[in-house]
Amino acid sequence: MSADSGNTKSTGSCLCGKITFAVSQFQPTIGHCHCSMCQKFHGAAFSTFGEVKLDHISWLTGAELLTSYTAQNHAVRKFCQCCGSSLVFESQYNRDAGTIEIALAAFDQLVALQPDAHIYTESKVDWLTIHDGIAQFKAYRE
Ligand SMILES: [Zn+2]
Ligand SMILES: [Zn+2]
């Protein structure tokens, strides 16, 4: 990403519009995650989360509607209490790094960025074929 991207805020919202947020900068790597937990959380073939430092995200409205679900592996996922939009993923790695991951598809305005890998493809759904040519990892990035 260019140094200029810090000047352009990416903004997003949940489906009902009560939760809104702005991100000033993303961390460099963005993966499509095909793990079974992301599939269940999103109700979709895979998730795409961008990692963001806590200093680089502002919750503009509705932060009190973010509801947490903690999975058995201690990863926390957050969704809108009103409309169910799945918005946030937070693992122990993220807590140590001072970051969270936020669902890219929830952005209404997004700086130019490109996911660079598919991860956890060992649990990819059979009804999706990957044709985009970017890296694929059976589990986490090697
Ligand atoms: Zn909502
Ligand atoms: Zn996942």
Side-chain angles (χ1 to χ4, degrees):
M1 254 191 299
S2 75
D4 292 333
S5 60
N7 298 328
T8 314
K9 284 216 168 170
S10 296
T11 54
S13 57
C14 63
L15 177 59
C16 75
K18 289 181 178 157
I19 299 177
T20 58
F21 47 88
V23 167
S24 57
Q25 197 183 328
F26 287 89
Q27 297 301 100
T29 58
I30 294 176
H32 299 300
C33 185
H34 297 260
C35 84
S36 57
M37 300 178 80
C38 283
Q39 289 165 350
K40 295 282 188 190
F41 184 56
H42 275 329
F46 58 89
S47 72
T48 311
F49 284 105
E51 185 183 358
V52 176
K53 287 189 177 167
L54 292 175
D55 287 348
H56 293 155
I57 183 163
S58 316
W59 297 98
L60 303 175
T61 59
E64 72 282 358
L65 294 173
L66 275 175
T67 305
S68 295
Y69 169 73
T70 304
Q72 284 184 341
N73 66 358
H74 307 298
V76 175
R77 293 174 186 267
K78 296 182 184 175
F79 55 93
C80 175
Q81 180 185 314
C82 180
C83 67
S85 291
S86 43
L87 296 175
V88 172
F89 174 82
E90 199 183 279
S91 66
Q92 188 60 50
Y93 160 81
N94 295 119
R95 288 187 282 273
D96 292 343
T99 63
I100 61 167
E101 305 201 16
I102 184 146
L104 280 198
F107 282 86
D108 303 306
Q109 210 170 4
L110 188 61
V111 294
L113 43 78
Q114 279 300 322
D116 64 328
H118 292 267
I119 60 175
Y120 291 99
T121 58
E122 67 187 353
S123 47
K124 181 183 78 57
V125 294
D126 292 336
W127 40 269
L128 175 76
T129 308
I130 299 172
H131 287 299
D132 57 17
I134 61 176
Q136 296 184 28
F137 299 104
K138 279 194 161 35
Y140 196 67
R141 293 167 188 271
E142 278 139 36

